Amino acid sequence: FDFSYRKATDLILLHKLMEEQFDFLPYSIQRHVVPNFYEEEINSIEFDPLNFKSLKVLYLSNMMETKGIKHLVDAATSFIKSDGSLELKCAGAFINDTCAKDNLKTYLSDKWCDDISYVGTVTGQEKLELLKWANILIIPSFYPTEAFPLCILEGMAAGCYVVVTDHNILSKVVDGDFGSIIKKQSTESIVKEF
């Protein structure tokens, strides 16, 4: 990690607020902010207030322990067991991090059910349909170098209520009127938000 940064002459950031994450780097490394963006087709999703009659929760990120997927699935399971009603769809590729992806797959495979499902990696029309279906997008990340995930912009553009953790700049890009901020690594905080 440090080796790569020592060789860098320029750093591309997705948001100005990310600069503080890289304070440890020498000032000789030029920082450039290139705002994140989403595909224009998402603008075709029409906001439907009736879509909020039931909780339709979408997780749209890499399937990694540090992205909070275990806490999310445990929270959904707990919420459903306490007579809560929600449907959770998880989309993304399994990637190694602190928990080997095979261990994470095994852990989660015991949790999948009618109301909690894994839909795989999605792109294009399939992603558009998921965003249209959802009314809540949740990213309970504590990934050490979490930046400004594209899915947050996509969720907002699609009219989803966006839930993120108080981690890095995530809490600074989600407005209280259109989303909320929860504690990181907290299953209870997610259950309470549901």
Side-chain angles (χ1 to χ4, degrees):
F1 194 68
D2 288 337
F3 175 78
S4 298
Y5 282 124
R6 279 186 296 199
K7 299 284 185 187
T9 57
D10 293 83
L11 183 65
I12 296 174
L13 306 171
L14 298 174
H15 197 285
K16 179 129 179 78
L17 293 172
M18 289 178 63
E19 288 180 353
E20 65 191 47
Q21 283 181 245
F22 296 95
D23 282 347
F24 65 94
L25 293 175
Y27 287 101
S28 60
I29 297 176
Q30 295 293 311
R31 285 134 169 103
H32 307 278
V33 177
V34 179
N36 214 339
F37 59 93
Y38 58 89
E39 294 181 37
E40 193 173 319
E41 290 78 21
I42 292 175
N43 289 331
S44 70
I45 296 174
E46 292 187 30
F47 179 74
D48 180 5
L50 297 177
N51 192 31
F52 283 83
K53 286 187 174 181
S54 63
L55 293 177
K56 296 185 236 170
V57 183
L58 176 61
Y59 171 90
L60 186 61
S61 188
N62 289 322
M63 303 294 284
M64 300 165 58
E65 184 175 21
T66 55
K67 290 285 192 166
I69 187 64
K70 285 171 77 173
H71 294 289
L72 173 58
V73 170
D74 287 346
T77 301
S78 176
F79 185 78
I80 291 166
K81 284 183 179 174
S82 68
D83 294 327
S85 176
L86 71 73
E87 188 175 354
L88 168 64
K89 292 185 181 183
C90 303
F94 278 89
I95 296 179
N96 286 324
D97 69 342
T98 58
C99 179
K101 68 180 177 183
D102 290 337
N103 292 343
L104 183 61
K105 280 182 184 179
T106 300
Y107 179 84
L108 293 174
S109 68
D110 291 337
K111 308 280 184 174
W112 302 139
C113 62
D114 288 343
D115 296 321
I116 303 172
S117 60
Y118 174 62
V119 297
T121 303
V122 295
T123 59
Q125 189 61 35
E126 194 175 12
K127 184 197 285 190
L128 202 60
E129 291 301 318
L130 272 179
L131 287 164
K132 188 184 294 184
W133 166 85
N135 51 35
I136 298 172
L137 176 96
I138 184 166
I139 303 298
S141 180
F142 53 98
Y143 183 63
T145 58
E146 187 66 78
F148 185 10
L150 177 60
C151 62
I152 291 176
L153 287 176
E154 293 171 330
M156 288 176 175
C160 294
Y161 186 81
V162 177
V163 179
V164 298
T165 48
D166 189 11
H167 180 63
N168 290 350
I169 71 162
L170 294 177
S171 61
K172 295 175 179 100
V173 296
V174 173
D175 183 294
D177 292 335
F178 304 104
S180 56
I181 297 142
I182 56 174
K183 290 184 209 169
K184 60 183 173 181
Q185 299 186 55
S186 172
T187 300
E188 296 80 24
S189 183
I190 299 170
V191 170
K192 185 177 175 185
E193 190 62 29
F194 289 152

